[in-house]
């Protein structure tokens, strides 16, 4: 074997990671099927117990609800894990970051209005195009906007702005919410780390992975009690004159 045929330690590590990711994804997918069967049957059992109309059925009905709730939680966890594990190379096309943001913000406008949270938009109309995958980029943006809404109290504000940079385009998502402490910022992009009850801990890691798949980067600044700012940066596509 020549030296050119030998795999470098980095190549070997990458191959091992790919194999592990594929195995983990396959295992999670296999778990989904029996979990769906359990969920369906516990729903049927709950319906049977509800028809008894007796005090004796109350305790098993409560236990059935606990099982159903945990099934829902596990199904959500598996969904998030599969999205995280299988996100590798994606096909990118020329598109507008503003358009992706408008779609996401419009999707949350009703919830924001109901909670009396103002969404302020400062989107640069002359923003250059970027290479993007619409579905995955919107999923990342939705995660960030959803988190901002959850962190912001009634009467608060979320500001979204886009602008050009020396190397491309960027967007800021700024909320007036509760803020994030330093320890959480250090770990928030680690898979399965979460401070939310019932959270999967995969939302932000998946969002960052999506941004990196777009050759972009994500950063965060926060002050407890003052709010949080997420900044996303992307390389711009060259304009053809």
């Amino acid at each position: 074997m020549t030296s050119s045929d030998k795999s470098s330690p980095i190549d070997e590590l990458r191959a091992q990671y790919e194999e592990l990711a594929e195995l983990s994804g396959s295992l999670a997918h296999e778990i989904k099927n029996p979990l769906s069967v359990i969920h369906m049957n516990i729903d049927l059992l709950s319906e049977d117990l509800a028809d008894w109309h007796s005090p004796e059925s109350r305790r098993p009905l409560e236990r059935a609800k606990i099982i159903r709730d945990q099934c829902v939680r596990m199904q959500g966890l598996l969904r998030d894990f599969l999205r995280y594990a299988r996100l590798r190379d994606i096909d990118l096309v020329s598109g507008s970051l503003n358009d992706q943001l408008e779609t996401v913000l419009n999707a949350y406008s009703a919830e924001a209005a109901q909670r009396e949270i103002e969404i302020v938009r400062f989107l640069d109309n002359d923003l250059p195009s970027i290479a993007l995958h619409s579905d995955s980029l919107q999923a990342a943006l939705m995660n960030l906007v959803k988190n901002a809404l959850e962190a912001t109290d009634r009467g608060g504000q979320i500001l979204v702005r886009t602008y050009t940079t020396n190397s491309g385009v960027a967007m800021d998502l700024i909320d007036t919410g509760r803020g994030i402490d330093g320890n959480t910022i250090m770990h928030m992009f680690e898979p399965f780390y979460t401070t939310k009850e019932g959270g999967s801990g995969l939302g932000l890691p998946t969002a960052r992975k999506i941004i990196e798949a777009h050759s972009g980067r994500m950063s965060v600044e926060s002050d407890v009690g003052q709010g949080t700012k997420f900044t996303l940066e992307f390389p711009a596509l060259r304009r053809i004159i």
Side-chain angles (χ1 to χ4, degrees):
M1 180 181 293
T2 64
S3 58
S4 60
D5 294 328
K6 294 180 180 179
S7 298
S8 69
I10 294 178
D11 290 334
E12 292 178 357
L13 184 61
R14 183 179 293 112
Q16 291 174 4
Y17 168 80
E18 293 290 337
E19 182 180 1
L20 180 60
E22 186 67 29
L23 178 62
S24 300
S26 298
L27 178 60
H29 190 271
E30 289 301 316
I31 293 174
K32 283 180 63 178
N33 294 328
L35 187 60
S36 296
V37 173
I38 295 171
H39 191 175
M40 179 185 66
N41 279 276
I42 202 64
D43 282 343
L44 294 173
L45 178 60
S46 297
E47 292 176 4
D48 292 340
L49 291 172
D51 289 339
W52 285 5
H53 300 293
S54 66
E56 291 78 10
S57 67
R58 185 176 304 167
R59 181 174 295 178
L61 190 59
E62 291 174 353
R63 290 175 177 172
K65 181 181 182 303
I66 292 173
I67 297 173
R68 183 174 62 253
D69 290 346
Q70 291 303 309
C71 281
V72 171
R73 179 175 179 273
M74 287 300 299
Q75 286 172 325
L77 179 60
L78 286 171
R79 181 191 62 245
D80 291 344
F81 176 77
L82 285 169
R83 183 182 298 150
Y84 178 81
R86 293 183 174 178
L87 180 65
R88 297 190 182 91
D89 296 329
I90 53 178
D91 295 327
L92 305 178
V93 299
S94 176
S96 166
L97 175 59
N98 284 347
D99 288 348
Q100 307 304 310
L101 272 170
E102 291 281 13
T103 298
V104 170
L105 294 176
N106 289 340
Y108 283 104
S109 60
E111 179 180 346
Q114 184 179 26
R115 299 181 57 186
E116 298 179 5
I117 295 174
E118 181 185 18
I119 296 181
V120 180
R121 313 181 192 197
F122 292 111
L123 306 184
D124 184 353
N125 292 327
D126 295 323
L127 204 67
S129 297
I130 64 172
L132 60 84
H133 181 268
S134 182
D135 288 345
S136 62
L137 182 55
Q138 286 186 27
L141 296 175
M142 290 182 82
N143 179 270
L144 295 178
V145 174
K146 179 175 180 291
N147 287 347
L149 283 170
E150 292 176 350
T152 304
D153 293 331
R154 185 176 297 275
Q157 184 183 86
I158 294 175
L159 184 148
V160 184
R161 64 189 178 200
T162 58
Y163 50 95
T164 59
T165 66
N166 292 333
S167 58
V169 304
M171 63 155 283
D172 292 333
L173 177 67
I174 306 170
D175 67 61
T176 58
R178 295 182 291 275
I180 308 170
D181 63 77
N183 182 66
T184 299
I185 289 179
M186 288 178 59
H187 299 286
M188 62 193 301
F189 293 112
E190 297 175 3
F192 303 111
Y193 178 86
T194 182
T195 58
K196 297 180 182 178
E197 184 178 353
S200 68
L202 289 171
L204 282 175
T206 301
R208 187 171 73 168
K209 200 172 182 181
I210 290 171
I211 301 307
E212 291 174 347
H214 286 72
S215 299
R217 64 177 182 174
M218 178 190 298
S219 59
V220 58
E221 302 173 32
S222 188
D223 290 318
V224 175
Q226 300 298 316
T228 301
K229 178 174 81 170
F230 279 91
T231 299
L232 310 184
E233 300 175 76
F234 302 90
L237 294 177
R238 291 183 179 178
R239 291 179 175 175
I240 300 176
I241 301 176

